Amino acid sequence: MRAAYLDTSFLLAETFGDVPGRRKHRLTDFDVLFASRFLEAEFLSAFRREGLVPQRDLLTPIQWVDAGRSLGEELGRV
């Protein structure tokens, strides 16, 4: 099984057809997609900023990840 954790820049680049040639993966290459709810907010915000109707169906296959707590300790170590 192939899984991917999506970030907003990748999803928007693929959505708007702006995937640089160096990227070799497409969303359809993965069996499972994970993302933070921040991706949802940023994705919808980008569509609003561009005056476009959001393609919400692109969010349907995503399994949402929620840490349920602050990640401050881990981020501090990194």
Side-chain angles (χ1 to χ4, degrees):
M1 174 176 28
R2 295 192 58 174
Y5 184 88
L6 299 179
D7 72 357
T8 308
S9 63
F10 180 83
L11 185 59
L12 287 174
E14 185 159 294
T15 302
F16 293 127
D18 189 28
V19 179
R22 290 181 41 195
R23 286 223 173 98
K24 59 184 178 186
H25 295 294
R26 307 291 287 174
L27 292 177
T28 56
D29 292 342
F30 300 98
D31 303 306
V32 182
L33 301 171
F34 296 98
S36 159
R37 284 289 182 182
F38 288 114
L39 177 139
E40 180 181 26
E42 293 167 342
F43 182 80
L44 296 175
S45 176
F47 274 87
R48 182 177 179 106
R49 183 175 55 249
E50 297 298 320
L52 301 171
V53 175
Q55 296 178 18
R56 292 178 184 269
D57 59 311
L58 295 174
L59 303 176
T60 303
I62 296 172
Q63 293 188 28
W64 301 106
V65 177
D66 180 14
R69 62 177 180 78
S70 171
L71 300 176
E73 183 178 328
E74 289 87 346
L75 293 172
R77 285 191 302 233
V78 173

